[in-house]
Amino acid sequence: TAKLLHEAFQQTPDAGLLKDARKLQKHLKKIARKADLSYDDQDYFTVKYYLVRDLAYVGLVTPLINDQKITHISCEGPGIPLIILREGKRIATNITFKGKDELNTFIQHAAQKTFQTISIEEPVLDVVYKGFRIQATLGTHLVPTRFIMARI
Protein backbone atom coordinates (compact mmCIF):
# COMPACT_ATOMS: atom_id res chain seq x y z
CA THR A 1 0.00 0.00 0.00
CA ALA A 2 2.70 2.50 0.98
CA LYS A 3 4.62 1.91 -2.27
CA LEU A 4 1.48 2.42 -4.37
CA LEU A 5 0.62 5.63 -2.49
CA HIS A 6 4.16 6.90 -2.94
CA GLU A 7 4.04 6.22 -6.70
CA ALA A 8 0.59 7.82 -7.02
CA PHE A 9 1.70 10.94 -5.14
CA GLN A 10 4.73 11.33 -7.40
CA GLN A 11 2.42 11.52 -10.42
CA THR A 12 1.15 14.90 -9.17
CA PRO A 13 3.53 16.00 -6.41
CA ASP A 14 2.81 19.16 -4.49
CA ALA A 15 5.87 20.10 -2.45
CA GLY A 16 3.68 22.37 -0.28
CA LEU A 17 1.86 19.29 0.99
CA LEU A 18 5.07 17.98 2.53
CA LYS A 19 5.13 20.97 4.87
CA ASP A 20 1.55 20.54 6.10
CA ALA A 21 1.00 17.16 7.76
CA ARG A 22 -2.79 17.51 7.91
CA LYS A 23 -3.11 18.35 4.20
CA LEU A 24 -0.69 15.57 3.26
CA GLN A 25 -2.66 13.02 5.30
CA LYS A 26 -5.90 14.15 3.65
CA HIS A 27 -4.36 14.03 0.17
CA LEU A 28 -2.94 10.52 0.72
CA LYS A 29 -6.32 9.27 2.00
CA LYS A 30 -7.92 10.67 -1.15
CA ILE A 31 -5.38 8.86 -3.35
CA ALA A 32 -5.97 5.62 -1.39
CA ARG A 33 -9.75 5.90 -1.83
CA LYS A 34 -9.43 6.51 -5.58
CA ALA A 35 -7.10 3.51 -5.94
CA ASP A 36 -9.27 1.37 -3.60
CA LEU A 37 -6.34 0.77 -1.23
CA SER A 38 -6.43 0.19 2.49
CA TYR A 39 -4.73 2.99 4.41
CA ASP A 40 -3.68 3.40 8.03
CA ASP A 41 -1.39 5.57 10.16
CA GLN A 42 1.63 3.32 9.56
CA ASP A 43 1.16 3.73 5.80
CA TYR A 44 1.06 7.50 6.29
CA PHE A 45 4.38 7.59 8.17
CA THR A 46 6.03 5.23 5.71
CA VAL A 47 4.86 7.20 2.68
CA LYS A 48 5.77 10.53 4.30
CA TYR A 49 9.30 9.31 5.00
CA TYR A 50 9.86 8.27 1.37
CA LEU A 51 8.20 11.37 -0.04
CA VAL A 52 10.40 13.67 2.01
CA ARG A 53 13.47 11.61 1.16
CA ASP A 54 12.71 11.49 -2.55
CA LEU A 55 11.07 14.86 -3.18
CA ALA A 56 12.57 17.23 -0.63
CA TYR A 57 16.04 15.67 -0.70
CA VAL A 58 17.86 13.53 -3.23
CA GLY A 59 16.76 9.98 -2.49
CA LEU A 60 19.20 7.25 -1.62
CA VAL A 61 22.28 9.50 -1.48
CA THR A 62 20.80 11.96 1.04
CA PRO A 63 22.59 10.44 4.07
CA LEU A 64 25.88 10.47 2.14
CA ILE A 65 25.48 14.12 1.17
CA ASN A 66 24.77 15.00 4.79
CA ASP A 67 27.98 13.34 6.00
CA GLN A 68 30.52 16.17 5.88
CA LYS A 69 33.42 13.71 5.91
CA ILE A 70 32.40 12.27 2.52
CA THR A 71 34.11 14.10 -0.32
CA HIS A 72 33.26 11.88 -3.26
CA ILE A 73 30.35 9.61 -4.25
CA SER A 74 30.38 7.55 -7.42
CA CYS A 75 27.95 5.18 -9.07
CA GLU A 76 29.11 3.04 -11.99
CA GLY A 77 25.65 1.73 -12.79
CA PRO A 78 22.57 -0.05 -11.50
CA GLY A 79 23.15 -2.95 -9.13
CA ILE A 80 26.69 -1.76 -8.35
CA PRO A 81 27.30 -0.45 -4.81
CA LEU A 82 28.03 3.27 -4.53
CA ILE A 83 31.67 4.03 -3.77
CA ILE A 84 32.50 6.89 -1.43
CA LEU A 85 35.65 8.65 -0.39
CA ARG A 86 35.42 9.33 3.35
CA GLU A 87 38.34 10.80 5.25
CA GLY A 88 40.61 9.75 2.39
CA LYS A 89 39.45 6.12 2.44
CA ARG A 90 37.69 4.51 -0.52
CA ILE A 91 34.66 2.58 0.78
CA ALA A 92 32.06 0.47 -1.03
CA THR A 93 28.63 1.16 0.50
CA ASN A 94 25.61 -1.12 0.73
CA ILE A 95 23.61 1.42 -1.31
CA THR A 96 22.68 0.41 -4.86
CA PHE A 97 20.19 1.57 -7.43
CA LYS A 98 18.12 -1.47 -8.33
CA GLY A 99 17.80 -0.80 -12.04
CA LYS A 100 18.53 1.58 -14.89
CA ASP A 101 15.12 3.25 -14.49
CA GLU A 102 15.67 4.00 -10.79
CA LEU A 103 19.12 5.43 -11.50
CA ASN A 104 17.86 7.49 -14.45
CA THR A 105 15.07 8.83 -12.24
CA PHE A 106 17.64 9.89 -9.64
CA ILE A 107 19.64 11.75 -12.30
CA GLN A 108 16.51 13.40 -13.70
CA HIS A 109 15.53 14.42 -10.16
CA ALA A 110 18.97 16.00 -9.64
CA ALA A 111 18.51 17.90 -12.90
CA GLN A 112 15.06 19.14 -11.80
CA LYS A 113 16.43 20.25 -8.42
CA THR A 114 19.00 22.41 -10.22
CA PHE A 115 16.60 23.66 -12.90
CA GLN A 116 18.46 21.83 -15.66
CA THR A 117 17.14 19.65 -18.41
CA ILE A 118 18.43 16.22 -19.27
CA SER A 119 17.07 13.90 -21.93
CA ILE A 120 18.02 11.05 -24.22
CA GLU A 121 19.05 13.67 -26.80
CA GLU A 122 21.18 15.56 -24.21
CA PRO A 123 22.17 12.81 -21.73
CA VAL A 124 24.92 14.67 -19.84
CA LEU A 125 24.38 16.58 -16.60
CA ASP A 126 27.01 18.80 -14.97
CA VAL A 127 25.59 20.80 -12.03
CA VAL A 128 26.30 21.95 -8.49
CA TYR A 129 23.83 20.90 -5.79
CA LYS A 130 24.08 20.99 -1.98
CA GLY A 131 27.83 21.57 -2.06
CA PHE A 132 28.53 18.82 -4.59
CA ARG A 133 29.41 18.99 -8.25
CA ILE A 134 27.37 16.29 -9.96
CA GLN A 135 28.45 14.89 -13.29
CA ALA A 136 26.05 12.29 -14.65
CA THR A 137 25.00 10.54 -17.80
CA LEU A 138 21.46 9.44 -18.41
CA GLY A 139 21.45 5.85 -19.58
CA THR A 140 20.64 5.16 -23.20
CA HIS A 141 21.27 2.18 -25.43
CA LEU A 142 24.71 3.67 -26.22
CA VAL A 143 25.68 5.34 -22.92
CA PRO A 144 25.69 3.68 -19.47
CA THR A 145 23.87 5.35 -16.58
CA ARG A 146 26.37 6.64 -14.02
CA PHE A 147 27.27 9.62 -11.87
CA ILE A 148 30.05 11.16 -9.86
CA MET A 149 29.52 13.66 -7.05
CA ALA A 150 32.47 15.61 -5.67
CA ARG A 151 32.26 17.98 -2.72
CA ILE A 152 33.33 21.47 -3.67
Side-chain angles (χ1 to χ4, degrees), residues 37-72:
L37 298 170
S38 64
Y39 178 82
D40 60 26
D41 287 342
Q42 184 57 44
D43 291 325
Y44 167 74
F45 290 113
T46 302
V47 172
K48 183 177 179 187
Y49 167 80
Y50 287 109
L51 288 173
V52 168
R53 184 195 75 181
D54 295 345
L55 298 175
Y57 298 108
V58 284
L60 294 174
V61 300
T62 298
L64 302 176
I65 287 174
N66 292 332
D67 184 337
Q68 295 300 310
K69 294 179 181 179
I70 294 176
T71 57
H72 187 90

Side-chain angles (χ1 to χ4, degrees), residues 69 71 85-90:
K69 294 179 181 179
T71 57
L85 191 60
R86 186 172 195 276
E87 296 183 320
K89 295 178 186 169
R90 188 174 186 271

